[in-house]
Amino acid sequence: MERTPIERTSKLYEYWIFLQVYLELRKMGFNLPDGGHGIESIIDKTHFKLCSGGELRLTGDHELYGYKGRTIEIKINYEKRIGTDESSLLPDIFLEFERFSKKILILDAKYRNYDQQGLDWYQDDIEKTAYHKYKLLETESTAGQWTPIEGIEDLRKNIAASFIIHSHPDFQRFLDYGSGGHANEYGAVPLVPEEPIYNPTPLKRLIKMFLRMQLRIFDVCWSEAHPKPVRAEKVGNKTNGNNSWEGEYRCPVCNNRWWVNHCGHWCKGDGVRVLKITFSDPTDNFFDFDEELRMGEKQVLKCSNCNHGYVKNY
C-alpha cells in the first residue's frame, strides 16, 4: 500500500468524468449486454486507476431504441489511441454509437479554474482541443499551424461532436453547447465534483443533445418526471407555410412535448439538414435565445448553425 502511486487531481477528475458518463448512459436505458462486464473490468485494482485503452460496451433497451430490428450499441473507451506515430492523440473519453451507421462523441476532461487561468484558456480549450484536436483530428506545430493526422480519414468522417468537460463552477459564462454557429458539434460544459456545487444537468443535456441532433433519436423522453426513460409518441406534423414542423412528439407519462424541424433559412441547400427543436420543458433546451428578436410574447431561438432566429413555441 505504501508504494501505491497517488494520481494528480487532473487525472482523478478524468476518472470521475468517465464514471459519470457511464452512469448517465445506464440511467438513459443503455445496459450491459448479455455476458458483458461493468466498469470494474477496466480498473487496475493494484494501482487504483482506469486502464488506458479500456473499453466498455452498452446496448440500448430495445423498447426505447429499437428500430427495424436493431438497437443502439455503444462502446465507451478510456484513452483510446488515435493514430500510430508521434502525432497520435489520446482523448480521455471516446464514445462510439452505432445502429445503422456510426457516430462518435469525444469528451476531454479539464480540471480548470478559468478565473485563475484566464478566459483565453477557456477559448483555447474549445477551439484548439475540442475543435481542432478532437473534432478535426489535427495536431498543432510549434508555429501554430494545424495539420490533419494522416491515414484516419474514415475515422474522421465519423467524429460527430467533441466537447470539453471542465470543473469551473460557473454555469453561465463557461457553458457552450455549440449552439452559437457551431451546429452543436463542439463546445464545453461544466461538471463540478464538489458539493453543493455538483450539478449533473449540463452533462445530461449534452448527452441528450447528441442523441437528438446526431443520432436523430426523437421518440424518447428522458424527463426526470419519471424514474426511467419512456418511448414517446409522434402525434402529428404540420407543413403549412413558414409555421411548419416535421414532427411533434409527446411523452405519454409526463405529457412533455417537443417539435422537430430543420433550418430552412441560410442552412437550406447546403446539403446538411440542420435540426431545430423546440421543447415545452425549458430544462431540455440547449439552443441559444435571440435576445434582440421577439415575436409578441414568444421567445425566439436561434439555429445552431446559421444563427437565424425561429419562434420557440408553435
Side-chain angles (χ1 to χ4, degrees):
M1 179 63 73
E2 289 77 9
R3 293 191 296 272
T4 300
I6 299 176
E7 296 282 15
R8 63 190 187 278
T9 304
S10 58
K11 180 60 70 173
L12 294 176
Y13 183 68
E14 286 179 16
Y15 297 163
W16 184 75
I17 292 297
F18 185 94
L19 177 61
Q20 298 306 303
V21 171
Y22 171 76
L23 292 175
E24 287 302 329
L25 289 170
R26 294 296 306 272
K27 293 175 186 176
M28 295 174 72
F30 295 97
N31 306 311
L32 292 172
D34 292 340
H37 301 284
I39 196 165
E40 67 279 357
S41 65
I42 63 167
I43 295 176
D44 180 339
K45 298 178 178 62
T46 301
H47 300 96
F48 301 101
K49 65 179 183 179
L50 290 181
C51 299
S52 184
E55 178 182 286
L56 298 175
R57 298 193 178 207
L58 298 175
T59 298
D61 186 314
H62 278 269
E63 291 187 6
L64 294 172
Y65 303 107
Y67 181 68
K68 293 185 177 179
R70 301 186 66 176
T71 188
I72 298 173
E73 306 287 345
I74 305 177
K75 295 178 184 177
I76 314 174
N77 299 273
Y78 176 69
E79 291 190 335
K80 179 184 177 72
R81 186 169 297 280
I82 300 173
T84 57
D85 55 21
E86 64 277 0
S87 65
S88 63
L89 303 176
L90 205 65
D92 296 332
I93 306 171
F94 185 99
L95 298 111
E96 299 180 45
F97 296 77
E98 187 166 8
R99 186 162 61 179
F100 299 102
S101 62
K102 183 182 295 184
K103 298 283 187 178
I104 294 171
L105 169 62
I106 291 179
L107 303 175
D108 203 59
K110 299 291 186 186
Y111 192 74
R112 296 288 198 237
N113 184 319
Y114 292 118
D115 286 339
Q116 296 176 1
Q117 295 156 327
L119 182 61
D120 287 347
W121 278 60
Y122 174 68
Q123 294 171 338
D124 282 352
D125 281 345
I126 293 177
E127 293 298 326
K128 291 186 176 182
T129 303
Y131 181 58
H132 282 285
K133 189 174 180 181
Y134 290 132
K135 177 65 176 72
L136 302 182
L137 301 183
E138 297 176 337
T139 56
E140 186 179 17
S141 69
T142 54
Q145 299 296 316
W146 290 93
T147 304
I149 298 175
E150 297 182 352
I152 55 172
E153 286 71 21
D154 289 341
L155 174 61
R156 184 177 287 109
K157 293 175 183 177
N158 291 328
I159 306 292
S162 169
F163 281 80
I164 300 297
I165 301 183
H166 63 79
S167 60
H168 188 91
D170 188 325
F171 294 84
Q172 300 299 321
R173 291 186 298 151
F174 302 108
L175 175 66
D176 182 359
Y177 291 106
S179 296
H182 299 156
N184 303 117
E185 293 181 348
Y186 66 98
V189 301
L191 190 60
V192 184
E194 292 85 359
E195 296 285 0
I197 304 172
Y198 172 70
N199 179 4
T201 299
L203 176 62
K204 293 175 184 284
R205 191 178 291 137
L206 173 62
I207 297 174
K208 290 189 288 186
M209 179 187 76
F210 184 83
L211 291 173
R212 295 212 192 279
M213 300 297 285
Q214 303 298 337
L215 274 68
R216 301 320 203 228
I217 305 299
F218 304 133
D219 57 350
V220 176
C221 179
W222 298 287
S223 172
E224 295 189 12
H226 32 79
K228 294 182 179 181
V230 175
R231 193 76 179 245
E233 306 166 338
K234 186 174 183 180
V235 295
N237 56 55
K238 181 178 180 181
T239 55
N240 137 351
N242 292 326
N243 190 21
S244 63
W245 59 84
E246 297 175 9
E248 177 185 356
Y249 297 84
R250 182 185 71 87
C251 175
V253 175
C254 68
N255 204 36
N256 190 14
R257 291 174 181 258
W258 53 97
W259 295 262
V260 178
N261 200 358
H262 70 278
C263 185
H265 298 294
W266 302 111
C267 295
K268 189 174 182 179
D270 66 358
V272 179
R273 292 170 62 81
V274 178
L275 288 172
K276 302 189 302 185
I277 308 175
T278 64
F279 300 94
S280 63
D281 182 352
T283 64
D284 284 336
N285 179 60
F286 45 80
F287 291 98
D288 291 343
F289 289 104
D290 192 328
E291 302 297 342
E292 298 179 358
L293 180 64
R294 296 184 70 92
M295 294 187 179
E297 295 300 317
K298 295 180 178 180
Q299 290 181 301
V300 176
L301 298 174
K302 296 193 291 186
C303 169
S304 65
N305 188 52
C306 70
N307 275 329
H308 196 101
Y310 65 98
V311 182
K312 178 183 176 184
N313 297 312
Y314 292 102

